[in-house]
Amino acid sequence: MRKLPAHDFLDKLGIPYDIKTFSAETEKGAANVAEALGFRERQMIKTLIFETGEGEQLLVMVGADQHIKSGKLKKAAGSRNIKMASPDTVLEVTGYRIGSIPPFCWQPEGFRTIIEASLLEEEVLGVGAGEWGNEILMTPKRLVEAAKALPFDIVQPSE
């Protein structure tokens, strides 16, 4: 198993984590990663890049089975105008292609990261390591620390 920049970042900070791998042939999507690794969808995190009307990009983390509620995200971001970043913008901003963006190790100082507050109740969460087929598992507390994430209620209520 080769070390990726996300692993080096966590090692440097002394933040414990586990590495899990799955077939690179697995269809893209956090829900498919959850199935491949034997976790609930809520535990595998979608890392999404949004752009505000003020030109700021921010990273938003939600569970694979969660859907962002626009009004709640606008309030958390402090912007009335917010949209998903294009794949080209995501690559330009993060250095990663959509599908396995780590929620840490690439952000410039001051880059904002938001995590859905209900995820903090999970025992373990999985995030992309920057390469499809490679997942990082850690506690929510450690994920918040590594990503400098701010918890907000940003999803639609469960059915």
Side-chain angles (χ1 to χ4, degrees):
M1 153 105 3
R2 69 189 190 101
K3 285 279 197 163
L4 298 169
H7 302 134
D8 293 337
F9 178 83
L10 294 171
D11 291 344
K12 187 176 169 189
L13 291 178
I15 296 175
Y17 63 95
D18 290 317
I19 297 172
K20 292 283 186 196
T21 58
F22 57 92
S23 169
E25 304 304 311
T26 302
E27 191 174 334
K28 297 281 186 188
N32 295 322
V33 174
E35 185 177 339
L37 295 179
F39 287 91
R40 292 182 359 270
E41 286 186 25
R42 176 72 40 94
Q43 293 176 278
M44 297 300 107
I45 303 303
K46 295 186 279 192
T47 51
L48 308 169
I49 304 296
F50 283 85
E51 293 183 294
T52 69
E54 295 74 33
E56 177 188 19
Q57 288 93 21
L58 50 109
L59 183 139
V60 178
M61 292 186 276
V62 295
D65 65 342
Q66 294 180 310
H67 301 284
I68 294 171
K69 188 163 175 71
S70 178
K72 289 182 174 185
L73 180 56
K74 288 176 180 179
K75 185 174 181 180
S79 177
R80 292 176 167 272
N81 187 4
I82 194 161
K83 65 178 182 176
M84 289 275 292
S86 71
D88 288 343
T89 299
V90 170
L91 180 59
E92 181 183 316
V93 168
T94 69
Y96 294 93
R97 296 198 181 282
I98 292 173
S100 188
I101 301 169
F104 40 73
C105 82
W106 54 265
Q107 293 95 324
E109 193 63 40
F111 194 96
R112 288 196 299 156
T113 299
I114 294 171
I115 186 170
E116 162 52 34
S118 65
L119 295 175
L120 303 184
E121 299 166 17
E122 295 295 330
E123 186 177 321
V124 67
L125 297 172
V127 296
E131 180 179 275
W132 188 246
N134 199 317
E135 197 79 355
I136 293 172
L137 300 179
M138 58 196 334
T139 66
K141 181 181 179 197
R142 291 180 176 140
L143 176 57
V144 166
E145 177 187 354
K148 297 182 181 171
L150 299 172
F152 284 98
D153 170 19
I154 55 170
V155 297
Q156 297 175 5
S158 297
E159 304 297 301

